[in-house]
Amino acid sequence: MLRILRRSLSLLLALSCWSAIAEAAAPLEPTAAAKTLPAASADYLQKVKPLLTARCYACHGALKQEAGLRLDTAAAIRTGGDSGPAIVPGDDGKSVLIARLTTSHLEERMPPEGEGAAFKPEEVALLRSWIAGGAAGPALEKPEADPRDHWSFRAPVRPPVPRVKNMAEVRNPIDAFLAAEQERRGVVPQPPAERGLLLRRVYLDLVGLPPTGEQLEAFLDDKSPDAYERVVERLLASPQYGERWGRHWMDVWRYSDWWGLGAEVRNSQKHIRHWRDWIIESLNADLGYDEMIRQMLAADELYPEDMQKIRATGFLVRSYFKFNRTTWLEQVVEHTSKGFLGLTLNCAKCHDHKYDPLPQKDFYRLRAFFEPYQVRTDELPGEADLERDGLPRVFDCHLEAATYRFVRGDESKPIKDDPIAPALPAIVTLDAPKIVPITLSRTAHEPGSRSWVVENHLRAAEAKIVAAKKAAEDKSPATKAAVVAAEAELIALRARIAADRERVTSTGEKFKKLAEAAATAERRAAVATAGILLAQSEVELVKARDTIAANEKKVAAEDAKKDPVLVDPAVKATAKKTAEKTIAAAEKKITEARAAQKTAEAAVAKVDVNYMPLAGSLKAFESSTETDVERRKPYPATSTGRRTALARMLTDKANPLVARVAVNHIWLRHMGKPLVPTIFDFGRKGTPPTNPELLDWLALELMDGPRDSKSGSSGSAWSMKHVHRLIVTSNAYRRSSSTADNPGAAERDSENVSYWRMNTIRIEAQAVRDALLQLSGELDLTSGGPTIDPKGAEFSMRRSLYFTHSHNEHHRFLSTFDDADVLDCYRREQSIVPQQALALANAQQSLKAAEKIAANLAKSPRVKTDDEFILAAFRLILASQPSGDEVAACRAALAEWRALPLANKADDASLRARVNLVHALLNHNDFVTVR
């Protein structure tokens, strides 16, 4: 068997292609202006100016001009600011700029961020050299552009679709924008991908699963011109689409199950999987992206009665952190800003943003929208126990909570004479809606009055009586007392419900009587519950006395059997000590039982006689010092309306950022690289879009929705399925990913900016595992429900997004393949490490999949010979035809495997060889890659 494994591993290594591919970037060409300047000026553009841009422009550029000084042109440097010229050309020793960069006085040195921020000696030497050489710069050098005129701060305008020479390459406007770029660069695009590879690509892309053998064969046999388009529509309508793209958005929105210490919840909340299910269902229903944002931020205000929509507020629930409210809200601000606006507003927590026109106050203005909100868990129909299930959601708790700016971000130093009002950053120029407080329905702020909460508790109380009566069949006093207590609790519950119903219409005399009756019933129930403890104490008393009596009887019986003359005094003394210990233990039990009696009686005496309605909900602890009594206070009957106003501003079509950020995420996951490389930073520090016209066109398509070609009217606005459809049906998406036979394109556009070919994409962790299950026919497509413990992963056939995923709990196989980072994951890491190959080679999931796949292929009437098996395996697993060399290598491997001795005589040598071949293909690089 060991020899078989060694031979198998040899073939794995021979057939696998686990290697990193590094493409060297073409060197940047100097600008035309730089080519015509003398050497000193060229150094300024290529070395000096980039240094000043990185280190000085934040305070001395277009954004700010501290001391009236700008350093964004050579002329401005020579002119200087309030203190005169910053440099003396030709004399670096007399230049104020050099003096301020090199002074040993920290309060005078620039940049003013402490010793660690000082210019390096080689950077100072570069500036000295430039100044000594005359400090030359381009004659027509332009200053830094107005930050407010940055491309992403301007509202997108639908650009005209380009007219290109080769209209045959244009299937939809996406192709036209890319073809224009290809013509500009002088590159010819690649031909379409093989049909099998294309089908595998779009299946993995839209539903996260490879096609089955039957689906692949059906597509290859379908010669109709719209065969591919029909596949796309079927996949977009599949329930698995929501699971696939739900996982993508769960990455961006930082989905995480709860974690803490033991059973203590410190981060996120239990049952947050309801938010996960809402994401999946919303995507499948093609709920508009704008409406998804509105519900995630403010469903509790917009739809206070709709528990299905309130699930969406899991976006805010997820940031819960028990020990520090400031940390909690800082994460909300950071990731609301990054996730929806593409702005690094977190950089303005301590000071004005270094690169974008975002003053420090903007950070706290956004925080002010969230200041009042807290987290609670509401009962759901059918379950009264919030530990077993419940809906984690948000609500406004402290309506008057003020937001203060902190001195350099230090929460111990709030500036209390300058409270901050909620507002979006000024660069998002919108007409802000008025913030209007929202009056909540009774069931929204008194969840205990919901009909299903009443039913939940009645059902639980009745079930408790049934269980108590069954246990009481043993006739013991304690179990009999439990029956009495359970019945008393049901009576008290019904009394409380009656009082609650009267309270809806009146709090008059009738309600007072019902409330008093309920309180009395609560007291009786408490006394009955204490009776269980009393009964248990009595049992302990009886047991203790019986133990003493039995021990004394045993000692006496042993002494009676012995001849007094032969009794060893030492043995008798030992027996006496043992008896004394037994008696002491019994007496201790008696003392404890009596103490328990007194405790029970005291508990009965302290029962609160005040009426308390059903809660139906439980607020999360706001801090580690909050008491249980404080967390159970009534909820406010109004909500501030702040988050509703924020949601409306974010989803306003005049907002320049939200749609751009969304389509950039979608494009990245379809095409393998984003249009804006800095996916959560659309600010001035970020990288500009590679095709700004295409980005804006897609943003408008998302906001406007599909348009009828005849009437010109728009369909569903903010439809993500519409954007998916446009991308995956474009010629750009359908192209081969190969660079073969196109050296000119590879030379002129080595970074594939014009998408002359499709990018190869490593599929992420969940898709790797799910593909193993899908191809082996084992995948369980049950959707939604509680999370699955990753420790029992080998027994679950469910899709991988349903595993518990938190800071404390990870699925080991998924982690090996760069699973989503719990803290933030705007883009998955893509590593290529030996552990991944070892995981696919050795994981039980992979080994079992190989056996199932080989057995299933053997059942096919089309697979009889080895060559037929090889072709079928390649087609199913890699969706491609093997080359002649690959077929020959596989034949040789199968022959070698069959010749090896078997560990068990009952084994089928031919099947075992084929299993090994399948296992090798599952370890092929193309299995974890979309070509």
Side-chain angles (χ1 to χ4, degrees):
M1 191 63 177
L2 181 60
R3 291 176 61 194
I4 294 175
L5 290 174
R6 285 174 177 168
R7 294 292 186 94
S8 300
L9 185 57
S10 298
L11 184 65
L12 290 176
L13 295 173
L15 295 180
S16 299
C17 305
W18 290 82
S19 60
I21 301 173
E23 296 182 358
L28 293 174
E29 287 291 325
T31 63
K35 291 178 181 177
T36 61
L37 291 171
S41 294
D43 285 344
Y44 168 75
L45 289 176
Q46 295 177 7
K47 296 181 180 179
V48 174
K49 187 161 186 171
L51 175 62
L52 296 175
T53 300
R55 306 300 304 282
C56 305
Y57 279 20
C59 296
H60 301 286
L63 196 62
K64 270 194 293 186
Q65 301 84 44
E66 294 286 351
L69 175 63
R70 292 189 71 151
L71 299 175
D72 52 349
T73 67
I77 298 172
R78 292 193 294 269
T79 300
D82 297 345
S83 302
I87 62 171
V88 178
D91 192 342
D92 60 294
K94 294 182 179 179
S95 295
V96 176
L97 177 63
I98 298 297
R100 294 299 296 273
L101 294 177
T102 58
T103 180
S104 59
H105 298 289
L106 295 183
E107 66 276 9
E108 295 181 3
R109 193 181 65 205
M110 295 294 155
E113 295 187 4
E115 191 173 353
F119 269 54
K120 297 176 182 177
E122 59 269 26
E123 294 173 333
V124 175
L126 172 64
L127 292 175
R128 287 184 183 277
S129 175
W130 175 64
I131 294 169
L140 301 178
E141 183 184 11
K142 293 182 179 180
E144 188 184 19
D146 186 335
R148 293 166 297 184
D149 197 40
H150 182 63
W151 68 269
S152 71
F153 303 156
R154 299 192 299 268
V157 177
R158 185 180 291 274
V161 178
R163 296 290 301 172
V164 294
K165 296 175 184 176
N166 188 4
M167 290 303 294
E169 283 296 320
V170 176
R171 189 179 293 270
N172 69 31
I174 290 174
D175 295 319
F177 285 104
L178 295 178
E181 180 67 17
Q182 291 158 10
E183 290 180 1
R184 188 183 72 77
R185 291 172 177 265
V187 300
V188 176
Q190 289 291 75
E194 296 176 17
R195 280 170 61 82
L197 289 177
L198 176 60
L199 189 74
R200 183 176 186 268
R201 178 188 299 170
V202 76
Y203 260 79
L204 285 168
D205 200 355
L206 290 181
V207 298
L209 302 170
T212 64
E214 293 77 8
Q215 290 165 339
L216 182 61
E217 292 298 333
F219 177 69
L220 295 177
D221 292 341
D222 189 346
K223 306 303 180 184
S224 57
D226 65 342
Y228 176 74
E229 284 76 8
R230 284 188 283 108
V231 167
V232 168
E233 293 305 320
R234 188 170 66 251
L235 295 178
L236 288 174
S238 165
Q240 284 71 58
Y241 156 77
E243 292 173 324
R244 169 59 165 172
W245 280 85
R247 184 60 259 182
H248 285 319
W249 289 112
M250 285 159 67
D251 284 10
V252 177
W253 296 331
R254 300 195 323 135
Y255 175 89
S256 171
D257 295 293
W258 77 275
W259 77 93
L261 181 64
E264 180 188 26
V265 178
R266 295 182 172 183
N267 299 266
S268 189
Q269 287 289 293
K270 293 182 179 180
H271 320 307
I272 199 170
R273 59 92 177 177
H274 289 289
W275 175 40
R276 176 205 67 202
D277 291 349
W278 172 87
I279 294 172
I280 294 168
E281 293 166 21
S282 298
L283 292 172
N284 279 331
D286 202 20
L287 184 66
Y289 182 70
D290 60 334
E291 178 62 11
M292 290 185 75
I293 292 176
R294 284 192 288 270
Q295 291 187 24
M296 284 192 286
L297 293 177
D300 61 303
E301 293 185 334
L302 293 168
Y303 312 101
E305 295 287 338
D306 194 331
M307 302 293 279
Q308 295 300 305
K309 290 183 171 69
I310 290 174
R311 292 180 299 167
T313 63
F315 172 77
L316 296 175
V317 171
R318 181 264 171 268
S319 291
Y320 171 82
F321 178 51
K322 179 179 179 179
F323 295 110
N324 191 296
R325 175 70 170 169
T326 293
T327 300
W328 171 356
L329 291 184
E330 283 173 357
Q331 288 191 4
V332 173
V333 172
E334 175 182 354
H335 296 291
T336 298
S337 176
K338 286 181 176 178
F340 298 132
L341 293 168
L343 293 178
T344 54
L345 195 55
N346 55 300
C347 296
K349 181 184 76 170
C350 304
H351 48 69
D352 293 349
H353 201 289
K354 292 287 188 184
Y355 302 100
D356 296 326
L358 299 168
Q360 187 190 11
K361 277 192 173 182
D362 276 353
F363 177 89
Y364 295 93
R365 288 181 180 119
L366 187 55
R367 169 175 169 156
F369 284 108
F370 302 109
E371 199 73 54
Y373 99 85
Q374 277 292 340
V375 170
R376 75 190 206 209
T377 300
D378 287 2
E379 283 187 33
L380 290 170
E383 182 54 74
D385 187 345
L386 294 178
E387 281 297 306
R388 286 200 292 256
D389 198 9
L391 177 62
R393 44 80 58 88
V394 303
F395 71 108
D396 272 3
C397 184
H398 304 296
L399 307 187
E400 304 302 323
T403 301
Y404 301 110
R405 184 162 52 98
F406 300 149
V407 177
R408 296 197 66 77
D410 185 348
E411 66 177 300
S412 68
K413 299 177 181 178
I415 305 173
K416 292 199 172 183
D417 61 351
D418 184 23
I420 305 296
L424 277 182
I427 56 172
V428 184
T429 53
L430 296 171
D431 294 329
K434 185 178 179 181
I435 297 175
V436 180
I438 295 168
T439 301
L440 299 173
S441 62
R442 177 169 178 254
T443 55
H445 68 86
E446 289 188 7
S449 63
R450 291 171 176 150
S451 59
W452 67 76
V453 172
V454 173
E455 293 168 2
N456 287 348
H457 285 266
L458 286 172
R459 189 182 302 109
E462 290 164 354
K464 189 174 182 179
I465 292 174
V466 172
K469 286 181 176 179
K470 185 174 182 180
E473 291 174 358
D474 64 1
K475 308 296 184 183
S476 72
T479 55
K480 288 179 180 178
V483 173
V484 173
E487 290 174 339
E489 287 176 8
L490 179 58
I491 292 170
L493 176 61
R494 286 173 174 161
R496 191 193 303 183
I497 292 168
D500 257 0
R501 286 172 178 164
E502 179 63 23
R503 191 164 58 96
V504 174
T505 56
S506 169
T507 55
E509 193 63 32
K510 185 177 179 181
F511 166 72
K512 290 179 181 178
K513 289 182 179 179
L514 288 172
E516 184 178 347
T520 301
E522 292 282 358
R523 175 186 280 275
R524 289 173 178 166
V527 170
T529 302
I532 301 174
L533 184 58
L534 292 171
Q536 290 172 338
S537 299
E538 290 294 338
V539 170
E540 290 298 317
L541 283 170
V542 172
K543 284 183 179 178
R545 289 169 182 151
D546 288 348
T547 301
I548 293 170
N551 187 69
E552 290 177 344
K553 186 176 180 181
K554 181 180 178 181
V555 171
E558 289 178 353
D559 286 346
K561 293 178 183 177
K562 297 175 183 176
D563 186 337
V565 178
L566 299 177
V567 170
D568 186 342
V571 173
K572 192 170 184 179
T574 302
K576 184 178 180 182
K577 287 182 181 180
T578 302
E580 289 172 349
K581 287 181 180 180
T582 304
I583 292 169
E587 289 175 343
K588 183 180 179 181
K589 285 186 178 181
I590 292 171
T591 301
E592 290 174 349
R594 287 173 178 166
Q597 286 179 358
K598 292 180 180 179
T599 301
E601 290 166 358
V604 172
K606 291 181 180 179
V607 171
D608 188 356
V609 298
N610 293 324
Y611 162 77
M612 289 293 290
L614 284 175
S617 177
L618 184 62
K619 184 173 74 67
F621 281 107
E622 293 182 25
S623 70
S624 57
T625 60
E626 185 182 26
T627 66
D628 196 59
V629 172
E630 289 173 330
R631 75 190 292 217
R632 293 177 186 274
K633 290 180 179 178
Y635 300 142
T638 60
S639 193
T640 63
R642 292 185 186 184
R643 288 178 284 108
T644 293
L646 172 62
R648 286 174 176 157
M649 283 188 278
L650 290 182
T651 55
D652 190 315
K653 286 188 177 182
N655 189 314
L657 292 162
V658 168
R660 283 187 176 122
V661 171
V663 296
N664 194 52
H665 277 296
I666 295 172
W667 183 270
L668 159 65
R669 288 160 177 81
H670 279 305
M671 303 299 289
K673 59 193 298 186
L675 291 168
V676 181
T678 47
I679 50 178
F680 59 77
D681 187 0
F682 279 41
R684 298 197 310 149
K685 183 66 172 174
T687 305
T690 55
N691 197 316
E693 293 82 10
L694 174 56
L695 178 69
D696 278 7
W697 187 87
L698 286 169
L700 268 297
E701 279 295 308
L702 174 63
M703 289 190 285
D704 293 343
R707 290 178 304 285
D708 186 275
S709 58
K710 295 180 180 179
S711 66
S713 61
S714 296
S716 300
W718 295 89
S719 166
M720 283 194 276
K721 284 190 178 183
H722 172 55
V723 177
H724 293 309
R725 186 180 292 108
L726 284 168
I727 294 174
V728 302
T729 58
S730 68
N731 273 338
Y733 180 85
R734 303 188 203 196
R735 289 196 181 105
S736 168
S737 62
S738 171
T739 60
D741 304 323
N742 202 340
E747 181 180 345
R748 297 186 186 97
D749 185 10
S750 61
E751 294 296 321
N752 196 27
V753 172
S754 67
Y755 293 88
W756 56 272
R757 64 178 178 86
M758 184 60 176
N759 292 302
T760 56
I761 302 173
R762 268 284 303 277
I763 61 176
E764 72 275 17
Q766 283 77 10
V768 173
R769 178 183 173 276
D770 293 353
L772 290 171
L773 294 172
Q774 168 81 338
L775 295 178
S776 61
E778 295 286 292
L779 184 63
D780 178 356
L781 290 177
T782 303
S783 62
T787 60
I788 302 164
D789 187 343
K791 293 189 287 291
E794 67 271 21
F795 303 111
S796 175
M797 302 294 114
R798 296 281 304 283
R799 291 198 72 167
S800 302
L801 88 161
Y802 294 115
F803 285 118
T804 301
H805 178 68
S806 74
H807 188 69
N808 288 357
E809 294 186 86
H810 302 276
H811 187 287
R812 290 181 62 187
F813 182 88
L814 300 181
S815 296
T816 304
F817 286 90
D818 306 312
D819 199 359
D821 190 308
V822 170
L823 300 181
D824 71 66
C825 189
Y826 293 99
R827 187 176 187 177
R828 293 273 182 110
E829 294 291 331
Q830 288 193 342
S831 65
I832 300 178
V833 294
Q835 289 89 334
Q836 293 164 347
L838 291 171
L840 271 180
N842 299 314
Q844 284 297 310
Q845 202 89 64
S846 179
L847 294 166
K848 290 178 180 177
E851 292 174 355
K852 286 283 185 181
I853 292 169
N856 291 339
L857 288 176
K859 296 174 185 176
S860 171
R862 298 184 181 183
V863 176
K864 294 181 180 178
T865 67
D866 277 352
D867 280 5
E868 289 171 340
F869 183 86
I870 293 167
L871 293 173
F874 265 81
R875 178 170 286 187
L876 176 67
I877 299 167
L878 307 180
S880 64
Q881 288 284 111
S883 67
D885 289 343
E886 287 172 324
V887 171
C890 290
R891 283 184 194 140
L894 288 171
E896 285 189 47
W897 278 322
R898 286 197 182 98
L900 294 173
L902 295 172
N904 188 326
K905 292 183 179 180
D907 284 349
D908 183 332
S910 179
L911 179 58
R912 176 50 52 192
R914 290 182 172 186
V915 168
N916 288 345
L917 178 59
V918 168
H919 193 211
L921 294 181
L922 293 176
N923 281 263
H924 197 291
N925 190 44
D926 282 5
F927 176 68
V928 294
T929 305
V930 175
R931 294 289 183 192

